[in-house]
Amino acid sequence: MNMAHVTESQNELGAFIYYIWSLFISLSWICVLLNPCQSQEEHDDKPNIVLMMVDDLGIGDLGCYGNDTMRTPNIDRLAREGVQLNHNIAAASMCTPSRAAFLTGRYPIRSGMVSSIVDRVIITLGAPAGLPRNETTFAALLKKQGYSTAIIGKWHEGLNCQSRHDQCHHPYHYGFDYFYGMPFTLIDPCWPDPSRDTELAIENKIWFCVQLVAIAALTLTLAKLSGLICLPWSLILSMILFIFLLGYFWFSSYTSPLYWDCLLMREHDITEQPMKAERAGSIMVKEAISFMERHREGPFLLVFSFLHVHVPLPTTTEFIGTSKYGLYGDNVQEMDSMVGKILGAIDDFGLRNHTLVYFTSDHGGHLEARVGHSQRGGWNGIYKGGKGMAGWEGGIRVPGLIRWPGRLPAGKMIEEPTSLMDVFPTLAAMSGGMVPQDRVIDGRNLMPLLQGEVQRSEHEFLFHYCGAFLHAVRWHPKDSETVWKVHYVTPVFQPPGAGACYETLYCRCSGNLVTYHDPPLLFDITRDPSESTPLTQDTEPLFDVVIQTVANAVKEHKKSILPVQQQLTELNYDNPWLKPCCGVFPFCLCDTERSTSAVEA
């Protein structure tokens, strides 16, 4: 065979292969240019998820739930574009246990995030209490399914256990890749905060002086031990004593929780101590938008946990005076604008049709939050009671809005009982994950109900705890539209005739400030959602049947409760050595956000 002919044939074959390869590459680039969202569409079966939880928001504060005087256009638009849950229930009427149930899909009594005493939330960053590490959150479940996960805003599920640096309850341990926000919760000392410029300047100079004295004391000690100088030990000891006294007096001068509980963190580092509360919300929105932009290829989970609308209601000057309801109304309207910015970013990134958005509150509005005659807490609409009241509807009935364009019908309203605990199994089903099989999951997958595949909620019974004490039970019979509510314990309102517990700030769960009912109180929530008229044997033919059926359900439910350590009873105490510090304790003042803002400016 002619070698020249073979070589020519090989060259032609190579040229043909090169032509085909070039054509393939060109077509691929054309597809990418014509379809820039290709990578996101590959994750259509795993949508991005944005969960927004407001703090202490009353269901009656929103236009979509009947308020015609408070302006919440962005939240109302979310309701029009998605599904509105009108019978959505929190698992607890206080922050820490409600959020624990939201994260895990389980009643807080199962994880030990309850209390048998007065305090029902983690009371300080110095407390070793926190969500047990053996609990599985929806973030951990989604992370295993390939999601990038973040929580921005309020945490309030614990921080440290044995030292101020161990961060044993940091969100990282519960499936979150990224955290920016407040590890604790807003409290009155957080705002209005004093000017910290002088304090920060003094702190830096004092710490510099301490370092100089410490170096001098160490140098003199070594010199004396080496025989290089001759001076009394009392001088060296006095220098060491001076350092300890200076640290002690500095620490003692900052006894306010403002310095130890009102702080912000980015991942593991403190960025502000104390925090500047009125600017925290806008920074958190920027962090949320930045996270979505970084992970726009998806899939991602973003939990945006508002500091709004919890007292002391830090509000920027842009919104002060814009509502008809004083500072609380201003704060609600500022929160709504933040919702609008997050929704706007989702649209700007082209993620609208690929993102499920869920909006809710952790429990009802705080009726007792007042300054003089000025109301600083939310309005719970027609529902009786509020925050801290585990049985009455006002404490546990919360907004529930879910939007997923193309997958969920717009403008649909659902009157069936649902729960914040349902988020866990719903996200598991959407992501292709499985809920843990080694424990009881109390939530139910909402997708069949949301998409209209079924018309009835899977919740036949919902149990309403006040701390570790069962106060009420809701029963939705499978063959009836009626929802019954049985109250075993109700709080005693103070002063007499009031509609809340104004003398104690929060209602109690047990003792002489509650009423034990035998027979229990019975309401038909369907006909009497305000729980204004209890039913009796004389007025309700099914009274005995309902009471006995619910009693049997309680017995079965209690069999499923395993004994665990009560975090909010046994570990909810203040240990100053667990309080986080951004510097060398006790010189803990810092503000990296101010320097960052100055650089950006």
Side-chain angles (χ1 to χ4, degrees), residues 487-488 515-521 547:
H487 288 262
Y488 297 103
T515 300
Y516 299 90
H517 299 281
D518 187 13
L521 298 180
I547 296 299

Side-chain angles (χ1 to χ4, degrees), residues 179-495:
F179 170 62
Y180 178 84
M182 194 174 186
F184 191 48
T185 183
L186 283 175
I187 51 178
D188 284 336
C190 293
W191 188 79
D193 59 322
S195 172
R196 298 161 302 158
D197 294 341
T198 302
E199 293 171 338
L200 289 167
I202 293 175
E203 192 264 350
N204 289 332
K205 290 180 173 58
I206 289 180
W207 174 233
F208 180 70
C209 292
V210 167
Q211 289 176 304
L212 287 180
V213 175
I215 292 172
L218 179 61
T219 302
L220 292 175
T221 300
L222 294 175
K224 182 173 176 61
L225 292 174
S226 303
L228 298 176
I229 59 173
C230 181
L231 76 165
W233 281 107
S234 59
L235 175 62
I236 298 174
L237 292 176
S238 64
M239 295 172 70
I240 296 173
L241 181 61
F242 170 77
I243 293 173
F244 280 103
L245 288 175
L246 188 62
Y248 172 77
F249 287 121
W250 179 265
F251 175 76
S252 299
S253 66
Y254 291 101
T255 57
S256 169
L258 166 68
Y259 299 97
W260 304 108
D261 289 326
C262 302
L263 56 86
L264 292 175
M265 297 179 67
R266 177 177 284 106
E267 300 187 299
H268 290 284
D269 300 323
I270 299 173
T271 60
E272 292 185 56
Q273 187 176 9
M275 63 189 284
K276 199 168 183 63
E278 68 270 17
R279 75 180 179 191
S282 60
I283 296 175
M284 290 173 186
V285 170
K286 291 178 182 177
E287 290 281 340
I289 294 174
S290 176
F291 173 80
M292 290 191 292
E293 185 173 21
R294 293 195 305 270
H295 300 282
R296 63 195 300 175
E297 298 301 316
F300 64 76
L301 164 71
L302 169 63
V303 179
F304 193 88
S305 180
F306 284 91
L307 300 184
H308 294 60
V309 290
H310 194 291
V311 290
L313 306 173
T315 308
T316 61
T317 54
E318 179 185 355
F319 284 90
I320 289 180
T322 60
S323 77
K324 298 180 180 180
Y325 296 100
L327 186 60
Y328 180 80
D330 300 342
N331 202 245
V332 170
Q333 293 186 174
E334 183 174 49
M335 177 272 297
D336 177 79
S337 75
M338 294 177 178
V339 171
K341 291 177 181 178
I342 293 173
L343 296 179
I346 293 173
D347 291 346
D348 292 342
F349 297 146
L351 302 177
R352 180 186 178 88
N353 293 334
H354 310 292
T355 302
L356 180 142
V357 178
Y358 179 86
F359 176 92
T360 191
S361 174
D362 54 356
H363 47 67
H366 190 187
L367 301 181
E368 296 92 346
R370 299 191 301 179
V371 177
H373 297 286
S374 174
Q375 182 67 25
R376 297 295 175 89
W379 183 51
N380 299 312
I382 64 173
Y383 303 110
K384 186 175 185 177
K387 177 179 180 177
M389 306 179 209
W392 296 123
E393 284 296 278
I396 53 178
R397 178 105 48 142
V398 294
L401 306 174
I402 310 176
R403 187 188 77 179
W404 189 8
R407 299 298 184 94
L408 298 180
K412 181 177 181 179
M413 291 191 181
I414 292 178
E415 306 295 337
E416 290 287 299
T418 57
S419 169
L420 294 188
M421 297 183 293
D422 296 338
V423 170
F424 183 97
T426 302
L427 298 189
M430 290 171 52
S431 65
M434 287 187 60
V435 299
Q437 301 299 304
D438 61 345
R439 65 198 67 188
V440 176
I441 300 297
D442 299 296
R444 299 291 183 266
N445 178 14
L446 284 177
M447 289 309 296
L449 183 64
L450 297 174
Q451 294 179 325
E453 296 174 6
V454 299
Q455 303 302 316
R456 296 298 301 269
S457 167
E458 290 189 41
H459 289 292
E460 183 177 4
F461 297 96
L462 285 170
F463 302 90
H464 307 305
Y465 282 87
C466 186
F469 305 97
L470 183 66
H471 273 206
V473 179
R474 185 180 316 255
W475 178 33
H476 185 31
K478 296 179 180 179
D479 58 351
S480 171
E481 299 297 324
T482 302
V483 179
W484 303 100
K485 182 94 163 288
V486 174
H487 288 262
Y488 297 103
V489 185
T490 56
V492 175
F493 292 155
Q494 338 99 25

Side-chain angles (χ1 to χ4, degrees), residues 12-34:
E12 290 176 354
L13 179 61
F16 177 75
I17 293 174
Y18 177 78
Y19 170 76
I20 296 297
W21 175 251
S22 299
L23 181 63
F24 173 77
I25 294 296
S26 299
L27 290 174
S28 298
W29 273 108
I30 291 172
C31 290
V32 169
L33 292 173
L34 292 177

Side-chain angles (χ1 to χ4, degrees), residues 96-97 100-101 103-104 106-114 122 128-137 140 155-159 161 168-170 173-175 439 563-568 571:
T96 299
L103 288 165
T104 64
R106 289 155 51 84
Y107 288 111
I109 189 74
R110 299 193 191 279
S111 60
M113 296 299 282
V114 294
I122 293 176
L131 184 65
R133 294 270 290 274
N134 61 354
E135 289 293 325
T136 300
T137 70
W155 174 238
H156 208 188
E157 296 297 318
L159 186 59
C161 290
C168 62
H169 294 304
H170 191 282
H173 296 299
Y174 303 93
R439 65 198 67 188
V564 295
Q565 185 179 34
Q566 290 187 6
Q567 297 285 320
L568 306 184
L571 300 176

